[in-house]
Every structure is written in structure tokens, then in C-alpha cells.
Amino acid sequence: MRGMTVRRAYCFLSQRLFLVVFLIPQQGNAHPQCLDYKPPFQPPEPLLFCKEYAKFGCCDLDRDTQISQRFYQIMDYFDHTGFMACGKYIRSILCQECSPYAAHLYDAEDANTPMRELPGLCGNYCEDFWLHCRYTLSLLINNNDTYGIEEDRSKFCKYLELKDPEYCYPNVLSNDDLNANLGDVKADTQGCIQLCLEEVANGLRNPVAMVHANDGTHRFFVAEQLGYVWTYLPNGSRIDRPFLNLTKAVLTSPWAGDERGFLCIVLHPRFTMVKKAYIYYSVSVKKQEKIRISEFLVSDSDMNMLDHSSERTLLEVDEPASNHNGGQLLFGLDGYLYIFIGDGGKAGDPFGKFGNSQNKSTLLGKVLRIDVDNNDYGAPYSIPSDNPFVGESDARPEIYAYGVRNMWRCSIDRGDSVSGQGRGRMFCGDVGQNKYEEVDLIEKGGNYGWRAKEGFSCYDRKLCTNSSLNDILPIFAYPHKIGKSVTGGYIYRGCQMPNLNGLYVFGDFMSGRLMSLKENPETGKWSYKEICMGTDKTCSFPKLINSYYKYIISFGEDEAGELYFLATGAASATVRAGVVYKIVDPSRRAPPGKCNFKPTPVNIKGKLIHFSPKEEYVINKKPSTTPIPKPKPTKPSTTVRQRVPQTTTRRVPSATTIRPRPLYTTLRPRPPSLTTSRPVYWTTAPKTTAKTQTIRPGKRGRGKPRRKGERRGRIRAGTVRLVSADGQKDRGRVEIFVRGEWGTVCDDMFNIQAAAVVCRQMGFSVVVRVAKRAELGAGDIGVRIMLDDVECEGTERTLLHCKHAKLGKNNCSHDEDVGVICGHYEHPVE
């Protein structure tokens, strides 16, 4: 063959010895991934050269054309006979860049390690390649130094072979387990959908809402329960000056689970022209707690700040209790403002004969609809003429729907991008009472059943059997063994994850579960699937993680329709444990370039704070822990939930040998090395189970060495116990063992941080409440007061490590003995 002769002569020109550095590729655990370290996709146009990957792979038509050109450049060295003998090998090898498993074939699943120059071949295929076309190797990698191994079959195949019989080429094509359902949403053996996350913001204090301006800037705004709203740019950086600061007006506290505070923000749907924002927050007016809905104008001098002097109150509603505040504002497609208000609090809606929710003369327990346009010179809002109860005697005209308990997080469906199906539907999560949580579709004039019904079940049987109830049933309800506080979400309508289109994603605040509903368009029924984090290497793409903080507070959409959720590791408005996560499907992405956008420039006043993620999903890292986040000092009467340190697993790259740099692939920049350990609150997505693992109080972990000086039967100084009349283990008077005897602790400076030390010693993960003035019992006459003036940071091992007065010295009495109520994070907070 003339081509072969030319090729052999060309190789003999090399006078250098070639030293081959052999790599042993990682075995097993591969997953679909492209050479750009992203999931595969369906090409928008059919491939003409690597046709076997036209339905799903890693090449678009442009890259397919480049590979085709490369193939014919190589084949120019061959005559017809050589073309026929070697063309099939060269084409197959070049096209592996388009394979869904390209990253594994090129050993490129880790962006921190070098890639192979050629895809990994199976042993038998490599021997056939060597027998027929071994002299083409230098052409494939454009390096004539390979002549030294072209003559040696053992070296040749040691260089090209992938020591993985399942994932090497061509076996990877015939592996039914790998290729069945390729590109579909991944699910584990229990059917739990496996997704991944990207951390996009952190260090937030109970982030309660995320909204965008829909003005082309692709900014998004995140609100904290304290009353701050922050502006984030598309590159992840945050402007140092808040978009809004209402901290002096907002009524909230550091107590874990306090439902009062800054609860929602929404921007006018025509924000580019009508530069207004609407705020939902708790206030105290003459000691009366209220819900306030206000309107703000954007500052004339700064597009990233509201004019704080422009506040105009649209509506105030008295709150009879501190819980069930609702807290959602939405603009519908009709341009009207929808307001979702809770039933007034307490339990069971005990107000009046039938409760607030069924009473149309009050705004509590309702969905309201008002018109806030053209209100600059008149009333703050007007009533849409087609509101369902306009003209009805004793009914408030603002009411759009009623019979709701405490709707927490609602959203408007953007509709399918092609058909528009579903556009304008309003989804809400309604928090239940004792048994069920529900998801509702809001309809004009609808009665959603509370307090007659909770989910599909009767709560007030007399009301439930009333023939005039005519309530609208939820599209889905789940029992409290799955979760105890629903957080409504969104229908996914973004561009980047085509598999998720039409999926309603929501969560539960208490259990930390992510869940989904999928509608059957023919029957209108919704099917449920839990969402879990991808296991093993499923999420091992750059920037992706597979764990999250447990308390899911809210969901959000960015301007492009991508989906996020906001969670925290400590349900307190003062602890910086809040994170914003972007949801990512690792099984399929949109084709490169399809979802690109160019944000409108934003004029920045002030400084930009660069975003640094605290977690990186890296392979095989040893378990590590970090300290509990320290809350800011609070008043003595406040409490903060904290969790016991846990050991969590992270991953790091395994050791590899450096390979020669590939010629026909672009080197990708390595992500910055992150050394921050996983936060103690970080959890993997829980599985659906009725049982929840708790920490056994007072029990050392398995395999944990006994501390120095610790002996069986001997009580260590600083040991604490909770003493209660009824013997409850999670609450009682705090007593500490000092100098061989038990004594009490005074409450004058004892606060949440000190309580956290006590609860952690007792094996509990959170502080529910600090009880003062001997509320949980006073010490007997024979019991000494051991500690006074206790001041802790919350991270100390015992109270003796905190600042305190001299042991046994005090200026208090047993009437001031402090008590503590502890709990586990699974416990609900009403």
C-alpha cells in the first residue's frame, strides 16, 4: 500500500527515543459526560459524520464537521486500499469525542487531571487496530515520537487500552445497562429522581424570597427575614449596598422557627417602565402585630436600590397570633397583585364560629387580588371589577379565593415554551395542621376547604359534611411521615434542563425533602416522585454538589426560567447559614449555545462582593467537619436552633500520573481549589421513610475514644443534666456538676448561646427555648447555686469553659434558676 509506505518512511525520520508514560485509567463508576465537563445533549441538527451520536452525545454539527475534516486530512496519507483497511478504525476513534461517555473514554471526568490523547480502547479491539493500522498512531496524535511503540504490540496496547471492560470502546456501545434510558432523568432503585445542585449564594440569614426584575439584566434579588434585600448579578457577585433595608421596621426575632419578619418582595411586571416594588412584612403598631403590604419606588440615583423614603402602605391586616402569617405576593398574567394571607395563627383556626378562613368578612385565610396600577394620585389600590365576591353582602371585595390555612410559597407557571400549555396557572403550597400538607391550583372564587378539611381529610367534621362547602381539592397532599411544613415551588420552564420541562418541584421545610409532581395531560392527574441527590459520580461535574442545608425556606426562578431553592442550616433570622442553590439535571443539558444570553449592563454604585462557594463536589475526599456557625449575640430572652456537629463525606481527586497534553482538545481551566470543609448543617437529600434517625442523648459515638481522665462511673466536672418534675429528658432545670456536687445556674445572663452548650452536651441538636425565673422548677434548699453571670459564644465544650462568676459565688436565688428546652431538628415549630 502506497500510503503505508509513505507513512513508514515519515516515521523513520525521527531520530529521538520516545519514552512513553503509561497511564492506568480509573475503573468503573463512569457516567455520561463530555470533554467540556458537562452532561451530553441532543444535537439541534443531525450529525453527518459521527451519525451514531446524532440522537444523544457530545457534539453539535460544527464539531462533527471539524472531526470530519480531521478524518480526511489523515486519510490523505493513504491510497484506496489503506483507506478501506484503516478508515473504519480512525473514524471510530475520532468520533468517540461525540460519545456520551467521552469523558470516561478520555479519562477526563475530573477537570483537575489531564486527559488522554486518544480514547481508551478495549483489549481485543486494540490488537486488531495494531495488526491492521498500527502506523496511523502518529497521525492521530500528530507526534512521530510514537514510532517506538508502533512496532511493539504490548507497548502499543498498553498505551491505548482502557482497563475497564465495560466502558472501553467499543464495549461501551453494547452495554445495555449503560445505554438503556440514556439521557433520561436518572432515578435510583426506589424511583427517586437524582439531581444535582450548584451553590450560587451563601452567608444569608434565613433567605425567604428570590425574585428577578425581568428587565434583561438577569439580576436577581434575595430577601432575608431580618429585612434586607440584596442584589446579585449574573456572574454571582453581590452589590455591597442592600436593595432595601427595612430592619428597623420589620418585626421578627432570633427564635428558631419565628414566622414573623420580612416575608416577600415582588417587582412590578413592567419593571422597566413602572419602577416599583411591593413588600410583605410583619410590623408592630401600638403593640398590635400586623401584616403590612407596602409599595416602594426605585431610587432615581441608583437602579440597584429602592428609595427608602418612598414607602406607601397599601394594606394592613391585624394578626391575632404570631404564626400563620402567610407571606406571598405575586403578579398574575392579568397584571393584578395577588396577596396570600394566613388564617391568623394558633391552631385549628379557632376564630369565630367557622374560623377566619371560611369567613369572607375578614381578609385572614384568603387569597386577595387588587389593582395597583394608576394609583399615584388616588387610593393605594382599586378592586378589579371581576373579583368573584364584588357586591356580595358582608364579603370583602379584595377576596379572590378563600379557605386557605397558611399558604407558603406560590408561583405562576410560565407555560411550555413551544405550546404555551399551562401558562398562567397559579400553584401554592398550603401548610397543614396535624396530618397533611397540600399543593393547590388557585382558581377564581375557589374555596380550599380549611378548616373543614386538611388535605383530602376532614378536620372539622361538622363543616366537612356541610353540603354548601363545595371546596376545591388539592392536586397533591402528603402525610406528616414525609414532611410537616410544605414549601411551594415552581413548574420548571427553563432552557438548560429539557428533561425537567413541566415538572413541579417543591419541598418541605421540616423534613428537608425535595419533591416533584408531573401532570398527565390526558387525565389531569399528578404523579409524585421524590428528588434525591445524585450518588457516586453522578454529580461530579465542576461546580456541582450533591448535598444541601436541610431547612428549605423558599424556591425561586431567574430571568431565564432556571430553578433555585433557598435553604438554611439554622432556622433563625440571625444565623448566616442560608444558601441559594440552583437545581441541575446531570443526565441531559441543552445543546451548547442554545441557552446563551447577553445581560443588559447594570450601573453599579458601591462595591461588588465576589462569590466564593463553600462546598465543592470532589471525588473521594476523607470525611471532615467544620464548627457550627456562630450566631450574633442576642438578647437573653431569645433562642436559636443549632445542630450537633456531624461527620460528612466529601471527595477529592485520586492520584494520577501526568499524561501528554491532547492535541485536538482545548485545555479547560481548572476550578480554584477550595479547602473549606462541608458545613456541619449540610445534609444529603433524605429518602422517603417514616423513620428518622435521631441522636441518642448522652451516648458516645461508636468507636469514639474515651476522653483523657474519663472513667466509668465517674462524673466529669462540667457535666450537665436537665431536671424536670415529670422526668422529661428534653427539658428541665439546668444543673451542673462542679466540685463533686450538683448545683443550679442563674438565669440573669444565661442566653441562647449558653443553652446551645447545654443541649449539645445532652445530645440534642437544637435549642427550642430558654426558660427563666424557675419556670421549669427551682432547686431545693440543699442544692447550691453553682454558676452565675454565664456568658457563652455557643461553641464551648461545657459551661465551665464559658465566661462566668467565681464558682459558687452568686447574687441570685433559686427563683432565678434557668431551664432549657432542647430538641432534635425533626421537631416542628408552631
Side-chain angles (χ1 to χ4, degrees), residues 2 37 99 163 175 201 237 259 334 398 455 507 551 560 582 590 734 820:
R2 184 179 59 84
Y37 311 111
S99 167
K163 301 292 185 179
N175 189 320
S237 58
E259 298 178 18
D334 52 17
E398 295 94 341
Y551 298 105
K582 181 179 181 180
V734 177
V820 172

Side-chain angles (χ1 to χ4, degrees), residues 1-10 77-79 82 85-86 132-136:
M1 295 183 296
R2 184 179 59 84
M4 281 297 183
T5 304
V6 173
R7 175 72 188 118
R8 184 182 292 274
Y10 174 75
Y77 285 93
F78 296 85
D79 57 17
C86 299
H132 295 93
C133 301
R134 57 182 176 273
Y135 300 113
T136 63

